[in-house]
Amino acid sequence: MGASRRIGILGGTFDPIHHGHLDLGIAAQQALGLTRLLVVPANAPPHRLQPFASAFHRFAMVALAVVGRPGWCACDLELQRGAPSYTSTTLWSLHEFGYTPTELFFVLGADAFVDIGAWKDYPELLGGAHFAVVSRPGYQIDDLPGRLPALASRMVRVAAATEGFPPSDPSIILIDALTADVSSTAVRRRRAEGHRITGLVVRGVEQHIEQHGLYLATFHDGGQDSRPTSPAADRLHGQS
Ligand code: ATP
Ligand code: MG
């Protein structure tokens, strides 16, 4: 059983989910031979910066985005918990459900991984799953060993078909892929400025955003994000 289960976990704020997220999941699914991919929207701590759309809307959009994608699931694990999301807590929960660390692949972009040192339960959480780090436009995989020298020895580049995959210990797996140059911030900005978001998100998500009037008042006139900015806003899924 163990060797054949490869469960990807794609965490994020997903405010909203866009084509960059989908490309990230597809790249991981293909490179790692994932049998399932759980897309897990994060819960915002009540005393911290809030996402612009409610957890209900963010989950609904994730559910719309996974329609027709074999193996992909919208996963409400972190929203059900009713507490702030920490990746470590999610990984320990999955262990309680019977998954071993080497069956789990936490999928994230290189921009998020460079902050890993600030995540709750670092460095122990790195033992909770493989971390599959995918390049993002502007954030190259090749830069990671230099930016995170303490972790360089744990970084590997392997493909699903390679002998000895997955590694027998939780590893940091680097995946080079071309993903759409989109961010949720850019989607929200376009909406607030009255532009269409066609092509940045899947059709169902676009319809959901339009039908519910989401992200219409996100930005001030100066084009700045109206929410107070903080590095934590980018790390909702793992912040400590
Ligand atoms: P925001 O602009 O609000 O920060 P975002 O587009 O960065 O949103 P997040 O929800 O913060 O999206 O990111 C969730 C995960 O998806 C992170 O691991 C992030 O690195 C990754 N990710 C987001 N966009 C891309 C992209 N275009 N290519 C590759 N990875 C991405
Ligand atoms: Mg982000």
Side-chain angles (χ1 to χ4, degrees), residues 10-25 40 42 52 58 106-113 119 132-137 139 177-188 225 227 233-237:
L10 174 47
T13 314
F14 303 124
D15 192 21
I17 188 165
H18 55 67
H19 274 297
H21 296 129
L22 299 178
D23 290 345
L24 169 65
V40 191
F52 295 96
R58 291 185 293 113
F106 188 82
V107 176
L108 73 173
D111 63 307
F113 190 70
W119 288 27
V133 189
V134 180
S135 53
R136 176 174 185 169
Y139 300 87
L178 193 59
T179 63
D181 192 4
V182 189
S183 67
S184 299
T185 303
V187 174
R188 296 192 301 265
D225 209 326
R227 181 177 54 176
D234 268 345
R235 304 202 298 270
L236 178 57
H237 200 270

Side-chain angles (χ1 to χ4, degrees), residues 134-165:
V134 180
S135 53
R136 176 174 185 169
Y139 300 87
Q140 296 312 308
I141 286 306
D142 289 339
D143 297 341
L144 286 177
R147 294 196 64 174
L148 299 168
L151 298 178
S153 64
R154 299 177 67 153
M155 296 181 188
V156 291
R157 284 172 183 263
V158 272
T162 316
E163 219 176 288
F165 185 86

